[in-house]
Amino acid sequence: MRKVLLSIASALVASLSLAAPSPASATVTSATGCDARVANAAATAAAATTTVWMAGDSTMANPSSTCPVGWATEFDSLFHTNIVVDNLAVAGRSIQTWLYEGNVTSTIGSNGECVLSSTTYSSRWQQMLTGMKAGDYLFIQFGINDSSTTCPRHVGTARYQALMTMMAQAAKDRGAHPILLTAVAAITCSGSTAVKNRGFVSQTTAAGAATGSPIIDLQTLSVDYYNSLGLCPNNGDYTSGPVGQFFCNDHTHFEAYGARRIARLVTGALRTQNIPLAGSLL
């Protein structure tokens, strides 16, 4: 997360303090003027930045160890300093458990969906709703843990579409720009070819159509990239070679190297799809 704006504000406070006159009456007047100027500078700086909010699972999340590293962790460094990335992706979450943390039970209801004990939103979604301003962006990528057959992570296709649509519309209602992503692929080989292995694609597309939001098909982009690298066939050894360089000791999560490559697939899509955020890329 960039600290430049805070540094500028701190430097401004220091310089104005040094320049203040010594008489007591003048000091009071100067302090009042200083406070106003600092407040104006902070407001101007905040208005000049765009926040990119990230909602997702472990394939996006900030790392708690050397591996896995989520691709959203690498996003900030690809932009000019006017872009601030706030990555609130959390490992192990479906779209529903991310939204309703602690309120999704292990019981499946008669409609085939996990029963909610409360419809109170998670603190992370409330943080986004409160902090999101016009011109910001919201990236949403789920669809991995959601495919579980058991609660609390299970999410049906209709429910998934409804929740993604709700999130995208909430961003638009605040003047922000939602970007919906299909889930990044794990490495699954069919002979010498990497193949797709994620669901909820049509539901993501439908949510985008319902809200006028761009879709980045990260599943297709990632599978095509794995094939360009020749990651299939492999012997299942995720500790060495090209596959080990890209993935943790599984077929799903990324080493820092792999996370950087996936992040660049996303920024490449911003450019090719003419999404305005691309104008702030380095």
Side-chain angles (χ1 to χ4, degrees):
M1 192 69 63
R2 293 184 170 83
K3 309 297 183 185
V4 174
L5 297 174
L6 292 176
S7 298
I8 291 173
S10 298
L12 181 56
V13 171
S15 63
L16 289 171
S17 299
L18 290 173
S22 55
S25 59
T27 299
V28 172
T29 303
S30 177
T32 302
C34 175
D35 290 344
R37 279 176 284 177
V38 170
N40 289 337
T44 300
T49 62
T50 296
T51 301
V52 175
W53 303 90
M54 296 287 192
D57 54 37
S58 58
T59 60
M60 291 177 70
N62 292 330
S64 58
S65 60
T66 56
C67 201
V69 178
W71 64 260
T73 303
E74 305 294 325
F75 218 56
D76 192 70
S77 63
L78 302 177
F79 288 88
H80 289 288
T81 56
N82 64 305
I83 301 299
V84 176
V85 176
D86 199 338
N87 186 11
L88 297 180
V90 184
R93 300 312 189 268
S94 66
I95 191 170
Q96 185 159 251
T97 55
W98 189 94
L99 280 166
Y100 299 102
E101 185 76 45
N103 294 324
V104 186
T105 73
S106 58
T107 302
I108 295 184
S110 58
N111 62 354
E113 297 292 346
C114 301
V115 175
L116 298 181
S117 60
S118 168
T119 55
T120 300
Y121 289 134
S122 66
S123 59
R124 66 183 71 95
W125 182 228
Q126 292 184 49
Q127 177 184 340
M128 282 191 180
L129 294 177
T130 301
M132 198 176 292
K133 64 184 183 300
D136 285 353
Y137 284 81
L138 170 61
F139 283 67
I140 309 170
Q141 183 220 277
F142 292 97
I144 298 176
N145 300 303
D146 315 67
S147 62
S148 173
T149 58
T150 60
C151 291
R153 297 201 296 183
H154 165 77
V155 182
T157 54
R159 177 69 170 163
Y160 185 92
Q161 181 177 323
L163 291 176
M164 183 166 275
T165 300
M166 179 274 290
M167 292 179 72
Q169 189 58 54
K172 291 180 73 73
D173 290 346
R174 288 160 176 75
H177 310 290
I179 297 176
L180 314 184
L181 299 94
T182 59
V184 63
I187 180 67
T188 301
C189 298
S190 177
S192 60
T193 304
V195 294
K196 296 179 180 180
N197 43 50
R198 302 300 187 203
F200 302 100
V201 174
S202 62
Q203 290 74 32
T204 301
T205 302
T211 58
S213 306
I215 308 295
I216 294 178
D217 187 2
L218 188 53
Q219 176 172 217
T220 297
L221 290 172
S222 56
V223 167
D224 288 349
Y225 188 59
Y226 301 159
N227 282 318
S228 75
L229 296 176
L231 297 185
C232 291
N234 63 72
N235 62 3
D237 180 4
Y238 298 101
T239 63
S240 63
V243 174
Q245 182 183 32
F246 208 98
F247 291 94
C248 303
N249 192 20
D250 60 20
H251 66 290
T252 299
H253 298 103
F254 306 115
E255 296 278 359
Y257 173 88
R260 285 192 293 271
R261 296 318 185 264
I262 297 299
R264 288 195 175 277
L265 292 181
V266 177
T267 57
L270 294 177
R271 286 194 170 102
T272 59
Q273 295 178 218
N274 296 314
I275 296 172
L277 181 59
S280 293
L281 286 166
L282 293 171

